[in-house]
């Protein structure tokens, strides 16, 4: 099998024609010209310290956008008014990187106080993490504002679990204005990062469309009972590099999550998987486009919401 390909130099420039027309890559050019460089430097330092953090920051942006839009709500701690999203089933003991976001925010606040939203920091950190690990770059439309509330129950229902079948995934993404092609491209984010035993246990013991040797090896790490927090790489081949190996793994039935391998169950998605195996540059281009599209899900703009001074709590 040919080696997986990482397109380190691909840069996809994508701009603002979308439902969130008020967002712009140049939003902070006059109000906080050092914002993007400040976020990038902090992300680079965090990922150098712990490679896994790149995947964690990318995932934070996804889990934020899928719950009431890209509004930074996932970062809010519980308070007397609401129970936040951090303890929702898809997030508890799983989503991470909050301390890194706090660090980025504090650095940005030193550059320009009360200007850059936490929601925009998540969008920028996701892009910078992907680039840091060898993936494509894109212009991030900016100008989101921060939510003043969070919704645990919506997080429980809107973020598709790793046990999802293909129909559920397609519906979930469609509900957010994302196409089947966006689903496949964004699933490629699983070319980096780790998952807990609880996320893949059912697959390695119950699924038939899984490589037997792959399943046996995982079963030694993840027994049928216990060791719930044992981690395994989402991409068995190159887990620390953003490349197209995730899609190659699906061809050999080595997708870690049930929801991953489901992409091979319908021609509309399996054909796209095959395309990304043979054309890694197409994956990079489509992933960048889909990230821009996802980042425009129901943003708060204008006078909506606020610019939080502390990403964990409302002003």
């Amino acid at each position: 099998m040919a080696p997986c390909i990482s397109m380190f130099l691909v840069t996809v420039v994508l701009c603002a024609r979308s439902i969130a027309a008020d967002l712009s890559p140049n939003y902070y050019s006059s109000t906080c010209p050092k914002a993007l460089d400040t976020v990038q430097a902090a992300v680079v330092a965090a990922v150098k310290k712990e490679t896994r953090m790149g995947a964690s920051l990318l995932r934070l942006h996804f889990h934020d956008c899928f719950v009431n839009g890209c509004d930074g709500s996932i970062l809010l701690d519980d308070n007397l008014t609401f129970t936040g999203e951090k303890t929702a089933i898809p997030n508890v003991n799983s989503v991470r990187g909050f301390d890194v976001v706090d660090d980025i925010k504090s650095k940005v606040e030193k550059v320009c106080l009360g200007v850059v939203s936490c929601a925009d920091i998540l969008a920028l950190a996701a892009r910078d993490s992907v680039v840091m690990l060898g993936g494509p770059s894109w212009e991030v439309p900016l100008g989101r504002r921060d939510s003043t509330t969070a919704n645990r129950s919506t997080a429980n229902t809107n973020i598709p679990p790793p046990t999802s079948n293909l129909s559920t995934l397609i519906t979930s993404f469609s509900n957010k204005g994302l196409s089947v092609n966006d689903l496949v491209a964004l699933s490629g984010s699983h070319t980096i990062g780790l998952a807990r035993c609880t996320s893949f246990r059912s697959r390695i013991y119950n699924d038939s469309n899984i490589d037997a040797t792959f399943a046996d090896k995982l079963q030694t790490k993840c027994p049928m009972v216990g060791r719930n927090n044992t981690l395994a790489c989402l991409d068995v081949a190159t887990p620390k590099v953003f490349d197209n190996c995730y899609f190659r793994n699906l061809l050999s039935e080595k997708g870690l999550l049930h929801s991953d391998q489901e992409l091979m169950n319908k021609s509309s998605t399996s054909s796209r998987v095959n395309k990304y195996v043979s054309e890694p540059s197409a994956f990079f281009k489509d992933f960048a486009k889909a990230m821009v599209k996802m980042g425009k899900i129901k943003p708060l703009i204008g006078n909506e919401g606020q610019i939080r001074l502390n990403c964990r709590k409302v002003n």
Side-chain angles (χ1 to χ4, degrees):
M1 180 178 288
C4 303
I5 303 173
S6 178
M7 308 294 290
F8 283 83
L9 300 180
V10 174
T11 299
V12 182
V13 179
L14 299 156
C15 287
R17 193 184 306 168
S18 181
I19 54 173
D22 289 343
L23 301 182
S24 167
N26 301 316
Y27 187 81
Y28 297 112
S29 59
S30 60
T31 57
C32 191
K34 295 182 179 179
L36 275 65
D37 288 343
T38 302
V39 174
Q40 182 185 46
V43 170
V44 168
V47 176
K48 281 184 177 179
K49 184 177 180 181
E50 182 194 10
T51 304
R52 182 189 176 195
M53 188 53 63
S56 298
L57 293 173
L58 175 58
R59 187 164 180 246
L60 266 178
H61 183 43
F62 172 81
H63 280 228
D64 181 41
C65 290
F66 262 59
V67 182
N68 296 336
C70 308
D71 60 3
S73 59
I74 193 171
L75 302 174
L76 287 169
D77 290 337
D78 296 353
N79 62 30
L80 296 176
T81 306
F82 61 81
T83 301
E85 297 161 22
K86 292 179 178 179
T87 55
I89 294 171
N91 296 332
V92 67
N93 298 321
S94 177
V95 171
R96 58 196 296 274
F98 299 109
D99 290 343
V100 171
V101 175
D102 291 340
D103 178 64
I104 297 172
K105 178 64 170 175
S106 67
K107 287 179 168 60
V108 171
E109 289 298 296
K110 290 177 182 178
V111 173
C112 41
L113 181 65
V115 175
V116 181
S117 69
C118 300
D120 276 348
I121 286 174
L122 287 182
L124 288 166
R127 188 273 309 274
D128 294 340
S129 294
V130 169
V131 173
M132 183 64 181
L133 295 177
S137 184
W138 59 92
E139 286 190 333
V140 180
L142 300 167
R144 302 167 190 80
R145 289 170 64 83
D146 296 322
S147 171
T148 57
T149 188
N151 195 320
R152 184 178 186 271
S153 62
T154 302
N156 281 330
T157 57
N158 282 19
I159 299 172
T163 54
S164 298
N165 60 32
L166 185 56
S167 176
T168 298
L169 291 171
I170 291 173
T171 299
S172 177
F173 276 65
S174 177
N175 288 341
K176 303 301 178 184
L178 299 171
S179 69
V180 172
N181 289 347
D182 295 329
L183 162 63
V184 181
L186 291 171
S187 295
S189 63
H190 286 177
T191 189
I192 53 175
L194 304 169
R196 295 189 304 150
C197 172
T198 53
S199 296
F200 59 85
R201 175 181 282 129
S202 177
R203 168 156 168 74
I204 64 175
Y205 288 101
N206 300 321
D207 286 3
S208 59
N209 58 344
I210 186 169
D211 177 85
T213 302
F214 178 65
D216 288 345
K217 185 175 180 180
L218 288 169
Q219 287 172 10
T220 64
K221 289 184 173 184
C222 178
M224 295 187 74
V225 178
R227 300 178 66 178
N228 289 344
N229 293 321
T230 299
L231 299 171
C233 296
L234 286 162
D235 172 3
V236 68
T238 55
K240 295 183 178 181
V241 179
F242 195 100
D243 57 20
N244 70 333
C245 274
Y246 165 81
F247 299 104
R248 290 187 176 276
N249 296 337
L250 300 185
L251 297 187
S252 56
E253 298 188 329
K254 293 180 181 178
L256 180 65
L257 307 179
H258 179 83
S259 55
D260 290 329
Q261 201 62 46
E262 281 287 296
L263 296 182
M264 297 304 295
N265 284 356
K266 190 174 182 179
S267 60
S268 61
T269 51
S270 64
S271 61
R272 186 65 48 163
V273 169
N274 279 282
K275 179 180 177 67
Y276 293 157
V277 168
S278 61
E279 299 179 44
S281 61
F283 164 49
F284 274 37
K285 181 179 179 180
D286 289 351
F287 181 83
K289 286 182 178 178
M291 285 296 294
V292 171
K293 190 174 178 181
M294 185 188 77
K296 292 178 179 178
I297 297 174
K298 295 175 60 179
L300 299 175
I301 56 176
N303 294 321
E304 298 173 317
Q306 63 180 215
I307 304 299
R308 284 188 230 131
L309 299 176
N310 181 333
C311 291
R312 293 176 180 265
K313 61 183 182 180
V314 299
N315 296 341

